[in-house]
Amino acid sequence: MHYFALSPTVTMVKDVNKPKGKTSAYAFFVQTCREEHRKSHPEQSVNFAEFSKKCSERWKALTPIEKKRFEDMAKADKVRYNREMQHYVPPKGLGARARKRKDPNAPKRPPSAFFVFCGEYRPTVKQECPGLSIGDCAKRLGVMWSKLSQSDKHPYEEKALRLREKYDKDMVAYRGGVSFAPRSQKGGAQGGDEDDDDEGEDDDEDDDEEDDE
């Protein structure tokens, strides 16, 4: 029997009326893969780690023309998100600085692909422009990111995905030990069910921090 034990200090507060976060081209592709799998194998349990690996391999094999379908979907979703956010007014106490009280022992939310990129190149930008403010440094990194091709962005997307996989596993352990489907019959490392992931969708804490255009 599993027992779920959340810290009594956690107070989850979320505005259900807030617009859904932006979804990336890769995330739309993964969603398509999910639907294909559910239709082909409706009764089969899915291992998240193996599923993610297969999606990554399939994404690499796509031609630019094949990827354009998903890139167009991402662009359209970003337009939708920006339009809805223009009319969104957060309730009192739920602004950008006051979202929710979190347990300090909870796993840290993983960075997006853009923030993985920033972590790698921020020292270089600071070294080249030592007097640059934090805001201007972020803007410069945003411009650098927007100029990358999809293939250049892919390593950062893969690293972000691996960090998300680890976060999902850590969250399962934190929430009380829900079991994952085994990665293989040999035992050892285990992965999570793909349904546990909200891949690509910006969570509350990520909505305002990335602009990759």
Side-chain angles (χ1 to χ4, degrees):
M1 180 180 295
H2 296 294
Y3 294 91
F4 293 81
L6 286 175
S7 168
T9 62
V10 177
T11 302
M12 303 301 289
V13 181
K14 187 171 182 178
D15 180 11
V16 295
N17 296 316
K18 184 174 183 179
K20 178 183 176 183
K22 295 169 288 186
T23 302
S24 68
Y26 182 69
F28 275 119
F29 170 73
V30 172
Q31 290 175 7
T32 300
C33 292
R34 284 176 171 174
E35 291 305 316
E36 290 177 354
H37 186 277
R38 285 179 178 134
K39 290 179 181 179
S40 302
H41 310 283
E43 303 299 328
Q44 182 178 337
S45 177
V46 178
N47 175 270
F48 175 70
E50 292 181 358
F51 176 80
S52 298
K53 182 179 179 181
K54 290 179 180 178
C55 286
S56 177
E57 292 172 349
R58 288 182 61 183
W59 178 258
K60 288 181 181 178
L62 294 183
T63 65
I65 295 178
E66 291 172 326
K67 287 183 179 179
K68 187 177 184 301
R69 168 193 171 192
F70 304 103
E71 291 167 352
D72 289 344
M73 292 168 69
K75 289 179 181 178
D77 192 58
K78 184 174 182 179
V79 171
R80 184 273 313 164
Y81 173 78
N82 290 337
R83 181 181 64 250
E84 293 179 356
M85 284 300 292
Q86 287 179 351
H87 303 288
Y88 170 71
V89 178
K92 186 176 180 180
L94 279 180
R97 301 294 180 183
R99 298 181 186 274
K100 64 180 76 172
R101 290 168 51 198
K102 291 187 65 175
D103 182 359
N105 296 317
K108 183 178 180 181
R109 191 176 298 278
S112 65
F114 173 64
F115 273 77
V116 172
F117 168 82
C118 288
E120 181 174 329
Y121 282 94
R122 185 178 289 107
T124 302
V125 172
K126 287 184 176 180
Q127 185 176 8
E128 293 176 350
C129 308
L132 211 61
S133 68
I134 296 176
D136 289 337
C137 180
K139 289 179 181 179
R140 183 175 292 247
L141 288 166
V143 171
M144 291 169 62
W145 174 259
S146 68
K147 291 181 178 179
L148 294 182
S149 66
Q150 189 59 45
S151 60
D152 289 332
K153 290 180 179 180
H154 188 64
Y156 303 103
E157 292 172 342
E158 280 200 318
K159 184 172 181 179
L161 184 59
R162 290 195 298 271
L163 291 172
R164 178 59 187 254
E165 291 173 6
K166 182 180 183 303
Y167 170 78
D168 287 340
K169 294 175 183 177
D170 290 345
M171 281 301 294
V172 167
Y174 170 73
R175 286 171 175 165
V178 179
S179 61
F180 285 97
R183 177 176 296 180
S184 68
Q185 295 182 357
K186 295 179 180 179
Q190 294 183 336
D193 189 292
E194 53 102 357
D195 283 333
D196 288 339
D197 181 62
D198 286 330
E199 232 176 313
E201 294 182 8
D202 293 349
D203 292 286
D204 282 351
E205 296 180 5
D206 301 326
D207 287 343
D208 303 317
E209 62 186 8
E210 178 176 352
D211 186 354
D212 55 7
E213 292 296 328

